[in-house]
Every structure is written in C-alpha cells, then in structure tokens.
Amino acid sequence: MKELVNEKFIIKLDEENKLIFLGHKSDVTNMNWIEGKEKWGTTFCPEGIKFSIERKFTEDGNLREKYSFKNTTEFPIGFKRTDIGIYTTFNDNYEDTDICIEEKCHAHIFCGEEASYVMAMQMGGRAPHLGMKVIKGSIVSYSVERDLSEESNDRGDFILHPDLPILQPEETVEVEWELFWFLDKEDFRKKLMETHGFPVVNSKQFTYFIGETIKFDVVAAGVFKEEEIEIKYKNREIPFVLRYEGYTTIVTCEYLVNSAEEIKIEIKFAERTTHVNFLGRKPLHEMIEERCSFIVEKQQYHKEGSFLDGAYLIYDNEEKKQYYSHLDDHNGGRERICMGILLARYLQKKENAAFLKSLEKYISYIYRELYDDKTGFVYNDVNRNLDWHRLYNYPWMSVFQLELYRLFKDKKYLGDSFRTMERYYKEGGGKFYGIAIPAIELLNYLKLENMKEEAEAFEKDFTAHALHILENGLHYPPFEVRYEQSIVAPAVSCLIQAYEITKDKGFLEEAEKQMAVLELFNGEQPDYNQYEVAIRHWDGRWFGKYRNYGDTYPHYWSSLTGMDFIQYSKIMGNEKYKEKAKASFRGCLSLFGTDGSASCAIVYPEMVNGKKGHYYDPWANDQDWALYFALRYEEATIGK
C-alpha cells in the first residue's frame, strides 16, 4: 500500500495503483470518501484498448487524475456509449443513520460532457465536502452496480462513461478530472469556475409551463468573445446577452416555452461543450384534468361482486391494461390511494360529473375493503387484509378523508380523518415517522366544527409525536429503508407543524437543524430530472413493472421536501425557500405524459447491474402524489 499526503488530502493506493482511501487531511473522523465493491479507478474497455492512470497534486493542493486510452491494434476502434467505464466509488450507501451522518456522502452527478462534475455532500452536513470536475475529455452518462443483497440500502458503485472518438491505431485519448474540497453548494459553484472556461449554468427553475419564459445564465472564468459562444436548441441559435464582471464572462438567455416537451439546449463555450435540460409542460390544471380523465377511464376497475370493484389500479402503458397483484406495492391499497386524493382535490376546483361518479364509487370501495370507520383501522389490501399492518397507510387515509370533507362539507369524513389518526397513535404512530401527516389542517377543521374533545386529543398525540422527533434529533430510526429523504422530510414537517400549533421555538430550531440535513439530498444539476430533486434509488424495484433498482430522478416523494420548504417559507417569509419549493414541486411533473398517462419511476442511470436503464417505467402506479402536492400548494407551484 502507498500513501500520499499534502495539506488537503490523504490518499492510499493499492499495488494496482487504485485508490482505496481518500480523506481530508484535517478530518478528525478520518472519513473515507470512497468505498465500494470495486476500487476507485477500476476501468473497463474493449479488447485492444490499453489504459493507464496518472495522479498528481496541483499547485493549489487539489488532486488530478488522468486516464489514458490507447488503441494498440492495427485497426480503428469505435465505442458504444457504455463500452468504457471508470469506477468512481463515492461512499454513498445507507447503513445505520449515525454511521450515515458521520461517514457517508450524497453524490450528485452531472454528466454534462466537457463540463461534467460530481458534488458529494457529507450526509451530516459537515464541511468540507468533496467535489470533482472534468478538466479534459467528456463524460456523457453514468451507470451503477449495486450490492443486491442490501436491497434498498446500497446506491451502488458509480461508473462514469467517457465519450471517446473512433481511435486510430496507436492513437491515445485522455480523460482528466480534478478532486477538490468545498464548503457548501455556493462554494462548489465557485470552485467549478476556478477552471478557466468551465461553463456553469444557473437558473431558478428547470420545468416551465407553456407560455412561461425560461431564463438562465451561463457563467465562466475568462473573457470570451461573442463568436466563441453558441447557445442552440434543435440546431437553432438562441439569442443571448453578453456581459463581463471583471475576469468573468456571463451569458444571459431567454426562451419562450411553446410546447410540452424536453428542451435540451446545447452550449458551446470556447473549447468546451455542455448542455442544459429544461422541460415544458401544459398548464397545471390542464395536466391534472387529463390525468384525472385517464384514471377514471383506464385505471378504475368495474366488476360487480369483486373485491376490486371501484378500485383505482396500476395501469400498464405498454400492454394497455390494468394490473393487480396482492404483492404489497402492486395491490389495491397503500400508496395508490393518491389517485382518489387527487380527484377529490381537483373536484374542489372544478365540477365534473364523470369524475364525481367515479370518485363516489371509489369511496364505496375504500370503506368496504380498506377502512373500518368504527375502529379507524386501515387495511393493507382488499378484503380488509392485514397481512402487514403498515403505519404509513394511516396518514394517507386521513388525508383522503380530509379532502372528502373539504369536497362534500360532510363532518362524517372529518370525524373519520380524526379517528384514523387516533388509531395511528394507538398503534404506535407516535414513534413512527409517518409521511404527509395533515396535522395543521386536521386540527384547524376540528376546531372550526367545534369538535373540541377531538381537537384536544389529536393535539396532545401530535405534540407528543413531535417531541419524540425532537428528542431523537439526527438519530433517525430505520424504517423500510435505513436512512432516506422520506424519513428526514416527515420529521421536519412534524416539527414545523408542531411549532405552528404550539409556538414553541424549540420545535422551529430543531426543524431548521434537520432541514439543513434534508437539503443535502437535493442536487442542483442543470437538468429538470435532477434539479432540487431528492436522491432516491429503489422505488423502481418495488413499484415498477421492470422491478429494477437505480436512481429515480425524479420520484414523487421528492415533493415532501418541497412541502417542508413552502411551510418554512410561510412561517419565516423566506423567498429563497419559496423558490426552492416551486422547483421541488415542478421537478416531479416529468412523471406525467401529455395524454394523462404517467410513470411511477424514471430509472435514471444508463445501466443498473448490467441492465438497460434511463427509461420511464411503463406502470402508472403511485406517482399521483406529485400532482396532488402540486395542486395542494398551487400558489407555490405556479409561483404567482
């Protein structure tokens, strides 16, 4: 083993010149930022290609790695997208929370050709964090290889795929990047721009509705002339305004969105090329109406006498048919209640006889098969099946009942919503991090209807719940995944709501502390799939037709972070978090097609354990929570 040390880095190499340890010189915890089944620097490429690795420290103390690829044959060699891969095993996996907070990182990857980078954030927020930027060459995608025995708890080994030209005999091409330390996301952007001509794209939003104008800047260190810069969409030049601030070039662009489609803008900045991905979508209400029509017409099951009569089921967009299985994430209950919730919320905005008739049949189904209005029990599947008594189901049922109360103005549903949460707490919910608990709404409506005893009982239970979360602090308990965004986000939500209810600043202070950790799950890549979208990487396996793991950019539960952002913004009058909430809610809209269809997951990496990735799963399953949150926080989503 060989060890190299400078004022910033400690690195250890094995006998094959692969990295086995990378840490900061001053880190008293001795965190290793690289870990995986493969070693950092392991490279694969086609037969006839010889590769080598060189490493050196730069004058300012950063670490450079150069990967050289040489054609040793007598013939030219071309490459498919995934023929060459370099393992960059950032230490991003999920053990117990205390280990994650101290020893793991979130790897935010942007494959932006000659402006590619990785922003690795220490999970507990302890600076410095580790960054990587391409100095020479082009990275076009990434794949992952996961330890499948860890199921949802291993994000996998990251493999970066360089884009190489056809290599002639004896020709060599190089890919070089630099590893560096940074303090926070703003400092990361500054560090990117320390490289001359490295274009950094800035925009507040990456998903836009038709009729809105995209606004973005491209910023790079150096003074560049207009003729050195190209901004194009579909081979048509986009006008830009050029200005200089000292030794920095700033290009400002605008583009009017006139269609619901991906808007991939190609950028050439002197010698570097990159891109930015925006998304156009129909107006929010139009999207939701089309989605509700799809649910009513294609996802509701009709067969008198069947347990499933009235259910909203999975729809297979490939096979054009409904699907049901008693398998938990494919059944007639659980997360899929979001379809009924969306319809109930939308009907409060706009009358529709067909939607109402469908919803009424769905309500009958829920109360027949999935809910006991005498005890408040929520069942896991049809026929009041309780093979798994799952506490997550309770807040979702309570949300549904609150929306029915709002729609029909019927106190029965408000009473049911209370009874559901009462049962949740009787079953141990006070120590569980339930998702989307509607505490403020439920309490306010109970008070409005003079249901004083119920209001006092719920407030007591919920406040005790929030106190438990406060006392746990960053020591999050494991649930279906050991540590994830949808454990932290519900914790923050409970604390913020508890502060609104009690005005106890202790709850607010703890919420701010935990929200700082929650924000680390979100990246800022210039891509609508990833910008302000939380890292999640297992949902395609459990909820998708193809049952594949891999980063899901986006996944609808990312909206939970947006919900925390907007709640915090309203309390504090903070415009920054209002804009971040807008990006979070909009960031999930790519899950919905232009015809009302939907996908439960976008499996984002190029390959996952050797299987083709980068696809929309064909199942419309549980993704409608994203539209519900967008509508529930419509003012934030639209931003007017």
Side-chain angles (χ1 to χ4, degrees):
M1 185 179 70
K2 182 179 179 181
E3 182 174 289
L4 300 176
V5 181
N6 72 353
E7 67 274 19
K8 294 182 180 179
F9 283 88
I10 300 175
I11 63 171
K12 298 177 184 179
L13 309 170
D14 68 4
E15 62 280 357
E16 296 178 330
N17 199 33
K18 295 173 184 174
L19 280 178
I20 56 175
F21 180 89
L22 188 155
H24 192 276
K25 176 80 180 310
S26 303
D27 184 2
V28 294
T29 69
N30 204 35
M31 173 176 164
N32 186 6
W33 285 77
I34 59 173
E35 182 182 83
K37 294 186 72 175
E38 291 289 346
K39 296 174 183 176
W40 179 289
T42 298
T43 304
F44 61 80
C45 50
E47 186 177 351
I49 297 295
K50 180 181 179 181
F51 73 89
S52 60
I53 308 172
E54 296 178 27
R55 293 187 179 91
K56 66 177 182 181
F57 291 122
T58 65
E59 290 184 1
D60 53 1
N62 295 335
L63 175 63
R64 288 272 182 101
E65 291 191 319
K66 182 165 65 178
Y67 293 78
S68 299
F69 301 89
K70 181 179 181 180
N71 181 355
T72 62
T73 74
E74 299 177 356
F75 301 94
I77 297 179
F79 307 94
K80 299 189 294 294
R81 196 175 182 87
T82 56
D83 278 350
I84 292 181
I86 304 171
Y87 285 82
T88 52
T89 52
F90 290 94
N91 193 356
D92 188 341
N93 61 69
Y94 300 88
E95 299 183 39
D96 291 339
T97 297
D98 290 349
I99 295 175
C100 288
I101 291 293
E102 291 296 326
E103 302 177 19
K104 304 293 178 180
C105 68
H106 300 296
H108 300 286
I109 303 169
F110 176 56
C111 296
E113 296 86 41
E114 293 163 318
S116 298
Y117 62 74
V118 180
M119 180 178 69
M121 308 290 293
Q122 204 273 341
M123 287 190 185
R126 185 182 69 248
H129 309 281
L130 181 63
M132 188 178 91
K133 58 183 173 182
V134 166
I135 302 299
K136 184 178 182 180
S138 174
I139 304 296
V140 290
S141 64
Y142 76 95
S143 296
V144 295
E145 287 184 1
R146 298 172 61 105
D147 180 353
L148 297 179
S149 69
E150 283 291 301
E151 295 190 322
S152 301
N153 294 299
D154 178 49
R155 192 175 169 199
D157 290 353
F158 304 107
I159 305 166
L160 298 184
H161 297 297
D163 181 29
L164 302 189
I166 293 175
L167 284 186
Q168 302 302 315
E170 298 302 311
E171 185 180 6
T172 299
V173 67
E174 297 172 344
V175 176
E176 186 173 5
W177 54 56
E178 183 170 307
L179 292 148
F180 58 91
W181 302 104
F182 64 95
L183 298 177
D184 53 28
K185 292 178 181 179
E186 182 178 353
D187 188 46
F188 176 77
R189 289 190 293 273
K190 291 178 181 178
K191 290 290 196 297
L192 292 180
M193 290 178 54
E194 288 178 0
T195 298
H196 180 82
F198 193 104
V200 176
V201 178
N202 298 315
S203 182
K204 292 182 178 180
Q205 300 296 328
F206 287 83
T207 297
Y208 289 81
F209 296 115
I210 291 172
E212 294 182 331
T213 298
I214 293 171
K215 298 179 181 180
F216 67 99
D217 293 334
V218 187
V219 186
V223 177
F224 299 96
K225 299 177 182 178
E226 186 171 328
E227 55 266 28
E228 296 179 275
I229 301 166
E230 288 183 357
I231 313 290
K232 290 185 175 181
Y233 174 51
K234 292 183 176 180
N235 291 321
R236 295 182 180 179
E237 291 192 8
I238 296 178
F240 59 83
V241 175
L242 184 64
R243 73 180 194 276
Y244 305 99
E245 291 184 2
Y247 194 63
T248 300
T249 300
I250 302 172
V251 174
T252 300
C253 302
E254 293 188 357
Y255 179 81
L256 178 65
V257 177
N258 52 32
S259 59
E261 62 180 354
E262 180 180 87
I263 303 166
K264 183 175 183 178
I265 295 177
E266 306 290 345
I267 298 169
K268 185 176 186 298
F269 214 99
E271 299 302 316
R272 290 180 184 258
T273 59
T274 187
H275 71 273
V276 55
N277 278 340
F278 294 103
L279 182 68
R281 277 292 175 256
K282 294 179 181 179
L284 182 62
H285 280 214
E286 187 175 340
M287 280 186 68
I288 294 174
E289 184 162 357
E290 289 177 344
R291 178 68 192 128
C292 289
S293 292
F294 193 99
I295 291 169
V296 169
E297 294 169 11
K298 297 186 177 182
Q299 294 192 241
Q300 188 164 40
Y301 185 80
H302 300 282
K303 188 170 185 178
E304 190 174 349
S306 169
F307 292 136
L308 291 174
D309 187 37
Y312 295 138
L313 301 179
I314 290 170
Y315 185 81
D316 188 324
N317 289 289
E318 281 184 333
E319 300 183 27
K320 309 299 181 187
K321 61 187 291 189
Q322 295 173 4
Y323 179 81
Y324 164 85
S325 167
H326 183 55
L327 189 70
D328 291 308
D329 298 314
H330 306 164
N331 70 19
R334 295 162 62 102
E335 282 87 343
R336 280 152 298 285
I337 198 172
C338 60
M339 289 182 267
I341 292 172
L342 178 63
L343 277 158
R345 186 78 182 196
Y346 185 66
L347 282 167
Q348 296 166 41
K349 297 283 185 178
K350 185 177 180 181
E351 293 183 3
N352 184 301
F355 291 0
L356 182 59
K357 181 179 179 182
S358 171
L359 178 62
E360 288 173 339
K361 186 169 185 179
Y362 182 68
I363 295 168
S364 296
Y365 161 77
I366 289 288
Y367 276 77
R368 184 184 72 239
E369 303 291 338
L370 296 177
Y371 184 68
D372 187 331
D373 59 1
K374 295 181 176 61
T375 64
F377 267 107
V378 182
Y379 298 93
N380 202 54
D381 195 11
V382 296
N383 199 22
R384 300 201 170 188
N385 179 269
L386 211 57
D387 288 348
W388 182 355
H389 189 200
R390 190 178 186 237
L391 286 176
Y392 282 122
N393 297 337
Y394 282 81
W396 304 337
M397 182 63 72
S398 182
V399 170
F400 179 54
Q401 291 159 335
L402 269 184
E403 294 299 348
L404 296 181
Y405 162 74
R406 286 165 51 92
L407 174 62
F408 296 115
K409 307 297 188 293
D410 186 341
K411 281 180 65 175
K412 171 196 164 32
Y413 293 118
L414 179 60
D416 289 344
S417 183
F418 163 75
R419 195 169 298 107
T420 300
M421 292 307 298
E422 182 181 46
R423 175 55 60 183
Y424 169 79
Y425 284 116
K426 286 180 179 178
E427 297 299 321
K431 295 186 177 180
F432 189 80
Y433 287 45
I435 292 173
I437 294 174
I440 296 293
E441 282 186 297
L442 177 55
L443 189 58
N444 285 344
Y445 284 127
L446 289 173
K447 291 178 178 178
L448 182 67
E449 295 287 2
N450 292 315
M451 298 171 69
K452 295 180 180 179
E453 290 184 11
E454 290 87 346
E456 290 174 1
F458 176 71
E459 183 173 342
K460 180 180 178 182
D461 284 339
F462 180 75
T463 304
H465 186 186
L467 280 169
H468 174 75
I469 290 172
L470 184 150
E471 290 165 2
N472 280 347
L474 300 182
H475 303 284
Y476 301 101
F479 295 108
E480 293 177 10
V481 181
R482 291 190 196 122
Y483 179 62
E484 53 156 319
Q485 171 256 356
S486 57
I487 294 175
V488 184
V492 173
S493 178
C494 279
L495 291 165
I496 290 174
Q497 291 186 87
Y499 169 71
E500 286 196 69
I501 292 168
T502 67
K503 304 306 178 186
D504 184 337
K505 288 188 177 180
F507 288 123
L508 180 60
E509 290 168 359
E510 184 63 28
E512 291 174 329
K513 178 181 174 183
Q514 296 196 31
M515 192 155 72
V517 172
L518 175 64
E519 289 184 67
L520 300 172
F521 284 92
N522 284 24
E524 296 183 341
Q525 298 96 314
D527 187 324
Y528 66 87
N529 291 287
Q530 297 176 294
Y531 184 77
E532 286 296 354
V533 170
I535 291 173
R536 297 178 67 87
H537 49 86
W538 58 88
D539 302 283
R541 168 68 176 85
W542 303 111
F543 293 88
K545 178 180 181 179
Y546 295 147
R547 307 210 68 195
N548 287 338
Y549 288 108
D551 296 351
T552 49
Y553 285 125
H555 183 268
Y556 66 82
W557 280 143
S558 181
S559 297
L560 295 174
T561 300
M563 194 159 61
D564 290 344
F565 286 164
I566 195 61
Q567 288 173 336
Y568 181 73
S569 172
K570 288 178 178 179
I571 291 172
M572 305 301 292
N574 188 308
E575 289 298 313
K576 170 190 169 184
Y577 282 99
K578 184 178 181 181
E579 197 71 26
K580 285 163 70 72
K582 179 179 176 181
S584 178
F585 295 137
R586 290 185 176 209
C588 294
L589 297 184
S590 58
L591 293 167
F592 304 94
T594 57
D595 60 351
S597 61
S599 170
C600 63
I602 300 174
V603 179
Y604 191 80
E606 195 73 33
M607 304 282 284
V608 180
N609 286 53
K611 294 182 179 180
K612 181 73 176 74
H614 213 69
Y615 64 87
Y616 286 81
D617 193 275
W619 274 4
N621 187 340
D622 54 333
Q623 67 292 314
D624 293 289
W625 285 103
L627 278 186
Y628 168 67
F629 290 132
L631 185 60
R632 178 173 167 181
Y633 299 100
E634 181 179 357
E635 184 179 343
T637 305
I638 296 176
K640 293 182 180 179

